[in-house]
Every structure is written in C-alpha cells, then in structure tokens.
Amino acid sequence: MGRIALELLLRRIILAIPILICVSALIFILLRLVPADPVAMSLPPGSSQADYEAMKQALGLDRSIPEQYWIWISSLLRGDFGTSVFFRRPVIDLVATALPATVELVVFSLIVGTLLGIGGGMLMFAWRGTIGEQVLDLGTTAIMAVPEFLWAILLILFLGVAVPLLPFIGRLDPSVSLPPSVTGFLLLDSIMTGRPDVLGSALTHMVLPVIALSIGLAPLIMRVLRSSLIETIMEDYITQARLRGISERQIILHHALKNAALPTISLIGVQGGFMFGGTVLVEMIFAYPGLGNLMVDAVRNHDLPVVQVVGLVYCVLVLAINAIVDVIYLAANPKLRMA
Amino acid sequence: MADVLRAKNLTVSSAGGIAVLRDISFAVARGEIIGLVGESGAGKSMLGRVIAANLPGGFHVSEGSLDFGGADLTRITGEARRQLLGREIAFIPQEPLTSLNPVLTIGQQFSEHLARIGGLPRSAFREHIVQALADVRLRNPEDLLQRYPFQLSGGMCQRVLIAMAFAAKPALVIADEPTTALDVSTQATVVQIMRRLQREQGTAMVFITHDLRLAARVCNRIAVLYAGEVIEEGPAGEVLEAPRHPYTRVLKAANPVLSGPRHRLRTLPDQMPTVEAFARLPGCRFATRCPVADPACAAAIPTLREIAPAHFVRCSDACGERAAALVEAEPILVPPAADKGSEPVLVLEGLSKHYPGKADWLGRRKPGTDAVKNVGLTVQRGEFIGIVGESGSGKSTLARLIAGLETPTDGRILVAGEDVTRADSKARALRLETLQMVFQDPQSALNPRRSIDHIVTQAMEPTGASRAERLERARSLLAETKLSGELLERYPAQLSGGQKQRVNIARALCVTPHLLIADEIVSGLDVSVQAQILNLLLDLRAARDLSLVLISHDLAVVRYLCSRVVIMHHGVVVEEGEVDRVFGDPQHPYTRQLIAAVPPDDLDTPWPAPVAVEPDNAEGLERASI
Ligand SMILES: Nc1ncnc2c1ncn2[C@@H]1O[C@H](COP(=O)(O)OP(=O)(O)O)[C@@H](O)[C@H]1O
Ligand code: SF4
Ligand SMILES: [Mg+2]
C-alpha cells in the first residue's frame, strides 16, 4: 500500500508540472491583455516620465512577454514570488497569511459536508420507499437549488442579524488578540500556544461560512451514496452474508458501506476542487481574510503580481485535493492496490 | 433416522395466486443428501429462498410447512430465523466469485463469520481459519488470509465458501448449483470436498443442480422438479438409470453421453412454461410437451404415486405403459466421413496471437499473454471439429482469429484455399461468403429494435433485395432452423433463450456459408433446449454440407456433434484427433484431467477418480501472485 501510494503521488506530482506550466502561462498572458498599467500604479503621484521609464525597466516590463514570463517563472523557482504593487509587501507574506485561512475553511467544509452527506445518505437509504425518503429528496433538491453565496447571505440574515447567534465578519473577534503564528493555521496555533479563547472565537467565526460551503455538497453525497448503497445490497455477497446470519446493521456497516463508498469518494474529489471556487464569494461575504479576499482585492487594485501568484496557488490546491482523494480511493479499493 | 428437514405440501404462490412451487413434499435425514434436479425455472432455487425468507416480491408460502428441528421455517420470524442461518443452516452459492465481498480479505470475512457463530475466542480465530482452509485443500492458507476474493479463482472462492459453510457444523447445508459457474476440472474437486465434510459431520444436505448425472453421483435421493412440482422422486441410482416419468426419461435421453453408442438426442418441443402460463395448465403441467400425453392429462393434476419402494412418480400413466414407447432408443448416429478429396474449407498454419500487457493506471506494463500459440488445423468440407478447453485457454481468441475479428501476430489462415491472413477487402469478401460466426450470448448478438425477419436477412441488406424477397428468405431460414413462421414479426425480447439461439443460427445461414464457427452456443441453455440446437446442427450438416468449428467446454456435446477434437490449454493445442480416440484413450495428462472431471455415465465407475482431485489451486495462485 505505502509503496503504491507513493508511486501514485509521484505520478500526480510529475503530471502537475505541465499543468502548472500551462496554467501559469495562461494566467500570465491573460493578465498582460488586461488594460492596466502596473508601472503607473507603482509610482508615487507626480512622477516624471523618466521615473516611469526607470520603474518600467525595474519591473522588467520593457521586455517581450515571453521574456517577462521566463523572468517570472525563474524567480518563482528561486522562491521569489514578487512584491505586491498595492500593499508593497512580498507576495509570499500575503499568501502565507491568507492561504491557511482558506485551507481551514475548505477542509472543515469538506469534513462537515461529507459527514452530513454520509449520514443523510444512509438515512435516505434506510428510509427508501417511504415518505421520509421523498421528504429528504425534496428537501435536498431545494437546498441544491440555492447557490453558495445566497446561502451565505441567508445565513447572515437569519443567524447573524435576525437572531444574532453567530458572528459573521472576519476570522476572529476584534477583542481577541492573535496568537503568535506557528503554522499559520489559526486552529492549530491556538491549540499549540494554549489559547482556548482564540480557538473558540475562530470556530464560531467558521460556522456560518462552513455551512454555506458544505450545504451544497452534502445532498450530492447523500444521493450518490444512497444509489450506490441500493446497488450494492443487490450484490451476491450481501445475500450470502445474510444467509450466514450476519445482522442487517453489520451488513450495512461492514459490507455495503465499504463498497458503496467508492463512487462517493470520487465525487468528493471533484467537488473538493469546485469548493475552492466557492470560497471566493463566500469569503467576500463574510469578510474572511483568505485567498479569495486577497484575490478580489488584488484584482480590484490591478495588483498583477498578487493575482498571478494567487491564481497559481488555487491551481495547486485543486491538484492537491485531487491527489489526496486519489490516495484515499486507493486505500479504500483493494482492486486498485493489488492490480 | 431423524429427518433434519421435512417439506410437507409446501406451496409458494405469486401475488396473483399462481403456485410457483406446488405441493412439494420431501425429507432429508442426518447424513443424507437429497438432489433437487430440474431445468431453469423449475423452482429449484425457490426452496432455498423459502428457507432464507428471501422470496422475490409478491411471492409467499400459501400452504404447507417446512419442518426443521421442530420449528416451521415458513413461520418463524426474523430474528429467530437469523439465529439459525449460518449456525444451523448454511448455504453454498452458485456464483462463488461474486459471493465474497471484494473489499474485505478472506481472513476478515472468515473471522466475521466465526464471530457470528460464536463459541470461539478471537485469539483462536486465525488458527481455526487456517485449519479450515487447509481442510478444503487450499494451499498456503496462511497467505490466503490476506488475499482478496478477486485474487482467487472461482474454484478457490468456492472452497473458501464451503469451509465457511461447514465451520459451524450446521445440521443442514443447501448448495444451489455450487459447481455450475466453475470449470469442469474444478467441479470434481469441489464436489469431493463438499461430500467429505458432509460425511464427516453427518450433515443433511440439499444439493440443487440441473445435471441429473452429477446429482446421481452426489446424492442419496433425487427429486426431479418440473414447473414447480416434484414429478419424480426416488433413490438416486434408480432415477438416473431407470427413470419412470416421461419428463425424466426425455431429460436423460436429451443429454449427450461421453461413452457408449451415440444415439440421436431426444428433444421436447418448446420449453418449460413460465409462471404466467401455469395458470393455463390446470392439469399436468407437462401436458403441453409430453410425448405420451392423452386428453385426460390436461384435466386433472396427477398425484404423486409410489411405483416402487420409495420411488414416486407424478403421472397419470404412472406404471409407464404409454411411456414405455419412449424407451425405444433413438437411432444411432454415424458421422459422415470427411470429404478429403476437395479443397479444405479452412486451414490454419502456425497461428498465434499475442496480446501485449496492458499498462496499468500507474503506467506499468504487465507481461503480455500468448492467447493462441502456434495452432495448426485443417477443416474439411462437411467436417465438424470441436475445440475444447477451460476458460482462458484461448478458444474464443482462436474463433475470433478465424472469423477475422482479430489479426494474428503470426501464422496463416487459408479459407477455401485462399490466404486471408491479411484482412484486405478481397479477404473480407471471401470470408463473408464462406464463413459465419455464431456467438455465445444470443441476447447481446441480436439487435433488440429489429424484428426477426430483418435480423435473419441482415446479410441481404447490401444486395438491395426487395422486402418480398427478404421475407421469403426469412421464412425459409426460420423453417430450416425449426422456428415457427409466426416469429417473423416479433422482436428478440419476445423469444426464449433457445429461440434466440436459433435465430442467431438462422442469421448465420443467410449467406449460405460453408463453415460455421460456434462459440459456446449451447452453454447457457437447458438440456432439452440444448438437444434441439444440437440436432438442428446435425440436420444442417446433412442438408447443406456444412462444416462446423464448435467451441465448447462440454466434452459430451463435442463428442455428440464432432468427428475430430482439438484440446487447448494455455493457448496451445495439447492433443488432437478422432473424437473416439481422444476421449477413449487420452494421451495428454490435461486431456485425462478434463475427462476425469466429468462424472461417467456408468454409476459403477467410481467418481471422482483420484487423478481428478489433485489439490489444485495452481491456476488461482498464478493470478494471485502479484
Ligand atoms: N424475482 C423473481 N420475480 C418473479 N418471478 C421469479 C423471480 N425469481 C424466480 N421467479 C420465477 O419462479 C420460478 C422458479 O424460479 P427458480 O426457483 O429460480 O428456478 P430454478 O432455480 O429452478 O431455475 C420461475 O418460473 C421464475 O420465473
Ligand atoms: S400425466 Fe400425462 S401429460 Fe403428464 S407426464 Fe404423465 S402422461 Fe405426460
Ligand atoms: Mg436456480
């Protein structure tokens, strides 16, 4: 298992290289077509034409686009991610604070969505053919019809404003001081530095965005799981387990679920990728200081160095999620492991 | 001896009140095996389903009882029944490969079963399982614990399932066609292992099969089922050697044999009635097909009468006066001598097909397989040649090479003297008019959206024949394949399995080919339907001077039709010759093993013979090694 998983990861990484080259080139070229003038933006007001030319040269913008691309890529490889034109800070610093916030959000949403989906899917399966299943069917259809950002707004209206139960702005209460950054992941850092107040505040701030992000995922998982459970229990080995007197509970948990989980895992891989897209709007609505907000700010300010790096980071995240899900799928499917 | 299971007037009805099992009574004692024999749809599996409370939707026990150790199995409720299953009553399934969970190891599944049985500490499981697996003669049982079912062969999976079934020392074991899905050579081993455990534990057993000869070997008593009724029941040897009911007599005479003279097979018209048709059969359910029926038969249900000690027959002609006419043997067949004078229809020279290994999903290339290796063969005009081998031996690849569906990696194919190895347009045209292929699965070979007349005259499409011409041709083709003209306008879904296979053959005959290549065309069919198809092929030879390459795993079928046989093993021809010589005096050990695996017709010859029962899971281990 370990060796095959490593091989799989290696393969994924090798495959990721051409993908990242294409995506970075695409982002880079598209951004050059945007009518923005980073040189002017990098200059203090009232600068002369000479200052302009000097800055243009300093930024490398006097070269051809392939040359510029090459300079960008080679400095990326050297670990130099450039400097934000707007914030006047290294891009790497901006990403380092925003990335963990988004990753925390997505990981939590995936976990919550998956747990809800599995529970709901098993409930739908247990209620198959009853009114209960139809109610769940209808309910989940309604839930899926509402897009994530609308959920975010509805949640704020109901649980943040009408019944002010939960905070809906930012990542922490303003009164709570930030713990020293160890990993950048707030939840981990607060635990590692012994700050339960930070942990509590961060968790309550995550509730609404996590619901907004996971509420669409759960019904998808429910449905896929239900139909694969229904298919699975028709299999000969289920009948044979029944004929051995294995209890119905054990049959579902020990026999059916393991097989029915396989299509569900693939689904989570695909949806996990989409979820990063969802974070952009949801982070904006909740003023959550993640990559999405960073990206939106950067775009608004024509901050090309930030836009292109954050774009690339999103691409890496989607590839990473897919690779992780692939490994989980491998672990769950002995046929692939043994092939 | 105390009866372990006793069925009394058991009747199972559909939602519409039609009895799919009618008035079934039998008993099986400790240490005894009863065989339930019948063709598909007879209701054999229904009995197991009653015991497991696993009846299909709408079906219910409407009458009678099923007594097991004082409890009526038709009445006990969920949890009480579950307590019996696995502990007191165990099942051995028909499809071993799919009856084990693919994502759990053999060890995990066996442990779960032991935990369910109870009475053994978890720490003792491993040793117990290893012993049980060794007991069913699986090699390296320690290693098997970590294996997944898909890494084992069907025969190995079945042995694991047998070991699990007997693990609790159950009072009753129900085996529903336990060897049907296995290769012939595995059948003997599996039967022997099952019998040994049954004898050692004194288990009562219900052995369900469609194979009368196998049942006679395995069982003490046999009950023959037809359309949901027991039509004959008696001591196993007597039922096989001196059947009394007209159906059992025909069934026996419809089954080709491996030794003795070759009589023309008896056939029955049509096929077993479906459940819906039962309602229109108020009297004897066999009346519509019975060769000796008289008008009274259709009126009243015949009772099961004891015609000899412990031998019962359900027939108004129970003493068999009318049925005696059936004893008259069919004529002995003499295969025509092959016409060696003219050009052979087909010559294969050093034919090989190598499949390169597929790259797996990690991009690693696996070693390839030589599906067919250096095969040479000559088929004369009018000659029927059988190709025999187990699954994976390369038979179907050979057929596809001959038919031009695959390109050989080496060797030559001559059709009517012309080299057609390279499939250019001339070769394709020659092939089209000379040879036709009939596939194993008529279901998928027939376009469901086209009517039968279109299907059988499909080959006339490019010729621009008129509708009238095609109808005319379709009519004669159906007549030639003994199908009613009424079927012309029907669609494949409206036909039975045997009818579909005949349509399939009719379609192949449309271009008046000289050579038919038939790949396992009777393997899924019931004995009486199989006999119809086999006789049809014989008649076609006489009428059309047709040659046939018959691919089959069934030695008796090959012996019945063919004058020469080729034995294939791992893509190589290991033996070839006149059928009677090869089957009577096999030279190659593999041929001997194949023959030894088939129960001999003569009940006095012991079976399985020692050579057939080598602990052989080598085939599986090959696949299992990673
Ligand atoms: N799931 C089902 N739904 C409706 N009819 C069924 C079902 N299973 C079996 N039958 C019918 O019950 C009869 C007996 O079937 P079965 O016991 O499976 O026969 P066998 O095992 O002898 O082939 C057949 O006529 C078959 O068509
Ligand atoms: S009762 Fe009549 S129809 Fe039925 S098997 Fe006997 S002779 Fe044939
Ligand atoms: Mg059956």
Side-chain angles (χ1 to χ4, degrees):
Chain A
M1 167 72 207
R3 191 180 51 86
I4 297 188
L6 275 181
E7 269 182 53
L8 171 68
L9 280 179
L10 203 68
R11 205 174 135 86
R12 285 285 174 213
I13 291 170
I14 292 170
L15 265 177
I17 294 171
I19 296 178
L20 286 175
I21 290 175
C22 290
V23 171
S24 61
L26 201 69
I27 295 175
F28 195 84
I29 291 165
L30 283 178
L31 288 183
R32 303 306 118 168
L33 300 178
V34 175
D37 189 353
V39 181
M41 291 172 54
S42 306
L43 289 171
S47 303
S48 66
Q49 186 63 32
D51 292 336
Y52 185 92
E53 290 304 329
M55 181 54 90
K56 189 165 179 177
Q57 209 160 6
L59 291 175
L61 293 176
D62 54 341
R63 321 261 185 111
S64 69
I65 288 187
E67 259 181 296
Q68 290 182 34
Y69 175 69
W70 174 245
I71 291 170
W72 180 51
I73 287 293
S74 46
S75 43
L76 277 186
L77 289 179
R78 271 184 275 113
D80 173 10
F81 287 69
T83 308
S84 160
V85 185
F86 180 74
F87 295 104
R88 305 196 185 267
R89 282 176 56 198
V91 176
I92 184 102
D93 289 356
L94 297 171
V95 170
T97 41
L99 175 67
T102 297
V103 170
E104 271 179 356
L105 205 54
V106 167
V107 168
F108 257 79
S109 302
L110 276 180
I111 292 174
V112 168
T114 305
L115 290 180
L116 281 178
I118 291 177
M122 291 180 64
L123 201 63
M124 267 179 135
F125 171 75
W127 286 352
R128 65 192 179 280
T130 68
I131 291 283
E133 187 194 23
Q134 286 176 23
V135 170
L136 277 181
D137 241 341
L138 216 70
T140 49
T141 309
I143 287 174
M144 282 193 296
V146 180
E148 282 148 354
F149 70 89
L150 202 54
W151 273 117
I153 293 169
L154 291 175
L155 286 167
I156 290 178
L157 284 179
F158 288 109
L159 296 177
V161 179
V163 189
L165 279 179
L166 289 161
F168 54 88
I169 293 173
R171 207 178 172 195
L172 275 181
D173 275 339
S175 59
V176 178
S177 64
L178 265 176
S181 172
V182 186
T183 62
F185 291 91
L186 203 47
L187 300 180
L188 286 181
D189 286 354
S190 62
I191 295 170
M192 287 161 78
T193 55
R195 289 282 303 275
D197 57 326
V198 176
L199 183 64
S201 176
L203 282 176
T204 48
H205 277 81
M206 280 177 79
V207 174
L208 292 184
V210 164
I211 295 179
L213 281 173
S214 58
I215 200 162
L217 174 63
L220 283 176
I221 294 181
M222 280 167 81
R223 282 153 184 239
V224 169
L225 184 63
R226 171 191 49 184
S227 46
S228 49
L229 273 172
I230 288 176
E231 249 170 60
T232 307
I233 57 151
M234 311 286 260
E235 300 279 352
D236 287 346
Y237 54 82
I238 298 292
T239 311
Q240 191 60 21
R242 281 209 185 99
L243 292 179
R244 288 205 305 268
I246 307 293
S247 69
E248 212 54 25
R249 198 186 122 83
Q250 172 95 345
I251 282 176
I252 299 298
L253 295 180
H254 195 213
H255 289 273
L257 207 51
K258 284 200 174 129
N259 285 283
L262 295 176
T264 314
I265 295 173
S266 310
L267 175 80
I268 294 172
V270 176
Q271 293 299 319
F274 289 151
M275 193 175 274
F276 283 107
T279 54
V280 176
L281 277 177
V282 170
E283 282 182 11
M284 255 177 79
I285 293 167
F286 288 100
Y288 198 86
L291 279 182
N293 262 323
L294 179 60
M295 183 68 150
V296 172
D297 281 345
V299 168
R300 193 182 290 138
N301 298 315
H302 300 268
D303 197 345
L304 299 192
V306 176
V307 173
Q308 58 201 20
V309 170
V310 174
L312 214 48
V313 168
Y314 271 123
C315 182
V316 171
L317 286 173
V318 171
L319 291 174
I321 281 265
N322 284 327
I324 292 168
V325 171
D326 274 352
V327 170
I328 295 174
Y329 192 85
L330 184 71
N333 191 346
K335 251 185 202 164
L336 292 182
R337 251 182 295 147
M338 306 292 162
Chain B
M1 219 185 286
D3 288 337
V4 173
L5 181 73
R6 186 199 298 272
K8 249 203 222 130
N9 311 112
L10 185 68
T11 301
V12 173
S13 303
S14 69
I18 302 169
V20 276
L21 280 188
R22 188 160 75 181
D23 195 20
I24 305 282
S25 299
F26 66 86
V28 53
R30 218 184 105 72
E32 198 185 31
I33 306 184
I34 186 161
L36 298 186
V37 179
E39 297 180 278
S40 57
K44 307 181 296 294
S45 298
M46 226 25 112
L47 180 85
R49 285 166 161 262
V50 171
I51 295 175
N54 182 25
L55 286 173
F59 288 80
H60 59 280
V61 175
S62 52
E63 232 185 289
S65 62
L66 199 54
D67 183 271
F68 176 80
D72 183 353
L73 290 179
T74 65
R75 260 160 246 272
I76 60 170
T77 53
E79 189 54 23
R81 181 189 312 274
R82 190 173 78 76
Q83 289 305 327
L84 289 178
L85 298 181
R87 283 200 188 116
E88 296 286 319
I89 304 176
F91 289 80
I92 298 171
Q94 174 167 356
E95 297 287 345
L97 275 172
T98 53
S99 292
L100 287 165
N101 193 331
V103 303
L104 299 175
T105 60
I106 302 299
Q108 284 170 330
Q109 300 188 55
F110 213 132
S111 300
E112 180 198 42
H113 183 54
L114 290 183
R116 137 91 191 119
I117 296 169
L120 204 65
R122 219 159 234 294
S123 56
F125 280 7
R126 190 185 169 84
E127 200 186 335
H128 193 92
I129 298 172
V130 168
Q131 185 55 47
L133 294 179
D135 247 11
V136 291
R137 293 216 307 270
L138 284 164
R139 280 189 211 157
N140 299 328
E142 294 270 354
D143 171 63
L144 279 182
L145 297 183
Q146 275 81 254
R147 298 281 186 199
Y148 290 90
F150 55 84
Q151 297 177 290
L152 314 184
S153 69
M156 291 168 78
C157 284
Q158 192 62 300
R159 280 188 262 179
V160 170
L161 285 156
I162 290 171
M164 283 167 85
F166 282 95
K169 300 204 170 14
L172 175 67
V173 165
I174 297 179
D176 191 347
E177 310 241 19
T179 60
T180 306
L182 305 179
D183 265 328
V184 242
S185 66
T186 324
Q187 164 168 294
T189 320
V190 165
V191 163
Q192 204 187 36
I193 288 168
M194 217 164 49
R195 279 225 62 167
R196 200 198 64 228
L197 287 168
Q198 177 268 338
R199 209 174 309 128
E200 282 170 6
Q201 301 190 2
T203 321
M205 189 153 155
V206 178
F207 185 82
I208 297 171
T209 177
H210 63 277
D211 186 342
L212 188 59
R213 227 180 304 160
L214 179 64
R217 288 288 172 171
V218 174
C219 309
N220 306 99
R221 299 181 59 71
I222 287 179
V224 181
L225 264 73
Y226 182 86
E229 291 181 315
V230 173
I231 50 98
E232 179 158 7
E233 195 215 321
E238 231 175 276
V239 173
L240 177 72
E241 298 196 318
R244 301 293 290 271
H245 191 279
Y247 174 67
T248 325
R249 288 175 197 245
V250 175
L251 198 61
K252 187 187 169 193
N255 211 359
V257 291
L258 251 190
S259 58
R262 270 170 283 189
H263 294 280
R264 189 177 166 88
L265 298 178
R266 269 204 183 281
T267 57
L268 287 172
D270 308 326
Q271 52 162 4
M272 179 147 13
T274 58
V275 175
E276 295 72 40
F278 289 176
R280 296 191 296 274
L281 297 167
C284 175
R285 284 183 173 174
F286 188 51
T288 48
R289 301 172 76 197
C290 180
V292 293
D294 72 10
C297 296
I301 303 172
T303 52
L304 202 60
R305 272 195 280 164
E306 189 162 10
I307 46 111
H311 193 154
F312 304 83
V313 167
R314 188 189 292 278
C315 174
S316 64
D317 180 42
C319 11
E321 276 154 17
R322 271 178 281 148
L326 286 172
V327 178
E328 224 172 82
E330 292 273 351
I332 292 184
L333 296 170
V334 187
D339 173 9
K340 294 236 165 75
S342 58
E343 187 77 61
V345 189
L346 177 74
V347 176
L348 306 181
E349 288 171 2
L351 202 62
S352 297
K353 177 73 189 176
H354 176 86
Y355 289 109
K358 280 203 188 79
D360 68 6
W361 65 310
L362 288 177
R364 292 173 303 198
R365 197 162 275 284
K366 293 182 199 156
T369 39
D370 287 309
V372 168
K373 224 159 48 190
N374 198 18
V375 169
L377 185 70
T378 303
V379 184
Q380 305 288 351
R381 282 199 87 132
E383 192 176 27
F384 280 22
I385 289 199
I387 297 179
V388 172
E390 290 176 284
S391 51
S393 60
K395 307 182 300 278
S396 291
T397 308
L398 185 60
R400 296 171 60 79
L401 286 171
I402 298 171
L405 300 172
E406 299 271 2
T407 328
T409 26
D410 210 353
R412 288 212 308 161
I413 304 174
L414 304 176
V415 168
E418 302 274 337
D419 190 332
V420 297
T421 316
R422 268 184 304 132
D424 50 26
S425 60
K426 191 170 140 248
R428 236 175 284 135
L430 182 63
R431 265 206 179 97
L432 268 181
E433 65 188 50
T434 314
L435 55 89
Q436 280 288 314
M437 179 138 181
V438 187
F439 290 97
Q440 174 166 7
D441 182 10
Q443 182 74 41
S444 56
L446 303 179
N447 183 342
R449 270 184 290 279
R450 310 204 64 184
S451 59
I452 301 305
D453 63 318
H454 272 104
I455 291 176
V456 295
T457 57
Q458 200 179 323
M460 295 171 79
E461 220 144 86
T463 67
S466 74
R467 170 104 181 111
E469 279 170 327
R470 286 183 67 170
L471 259 178
E472 187 48 43
R473 183 94 181 99
R475 212 180 298 280
S476 81
L477 285 168
L478 289 198
E480 201 174 355
T481 47
K482 313 226 160 51
L483 285 166
S484 148
E486 287 169 28
L487 300 186
L488 278 177
E489 321 252 286
R490 300 241 184 113
Y491 289 85
Q494 295 166 285
L495 308 188
S496 72
Q499 287 173 328
K500 277 186 209 149
Q501 198 54 283
R502 270 184 277 182
V503 166
N504 218 357
I505 294 173
R507 175 175 60 173
L509 293 175
C510 185
V511 293
T512 56
H514 300 299
L515 173 67
L516 280 188
I517 302 152
D519 190 356
E520 295 282 7
I521 55 169
V522 290
S523 61
L525 302 177
D526 276 316
V527 177
S528 66
V529 181
Q530 166 178 296
Q532 295 165 1
I533 303 283
L534 298 184
N535 283 353
L536 170 66
L537 289 169
L538 284 184
D539 297 343
L540 286 173
R541 170 165 62 189
R544 283 200 174 207
D545 192 23
L546 197 68
S547 309
L548 174 74
V549 173
L550 177 80
I551 289 163
S552 177
H553 66 279
D554 189 330
L555 306 184
V557 163
V558 167
R559 179 174 183 266
Y560 180 64
L561 284 184
C562 304
S563 49
R564 267 198 311 140
V565 61
V566 172
I567 314 279
M568 281 185 82
H569 187 44
H570 290 327
V572 180
V573 173
V574 296
E575 186 157 1
E576 188 200 335
E578 299 294 315
V579 167
D580 287 319
R581 206 277 298 145
V582 173
F583 290 170
D585 179 24
Q587 297 302 308
H588 194 277
Y590 179 70
T591 316
R592 271 185 234 138
Q593 191 190 328
L594 278 183
I595 293 170
V598 184
D601 309 300
D602 173 17
L603 277 182
D604 295 329
T605 315
W607 182 85
V611 307
V613 296
E614 280 305 297
D616 181 280
N617 53 6
E619 24 118 29
L621 285 178
E622 241 165 60
R623 268 209 277 166
S625 55
I626 42 171

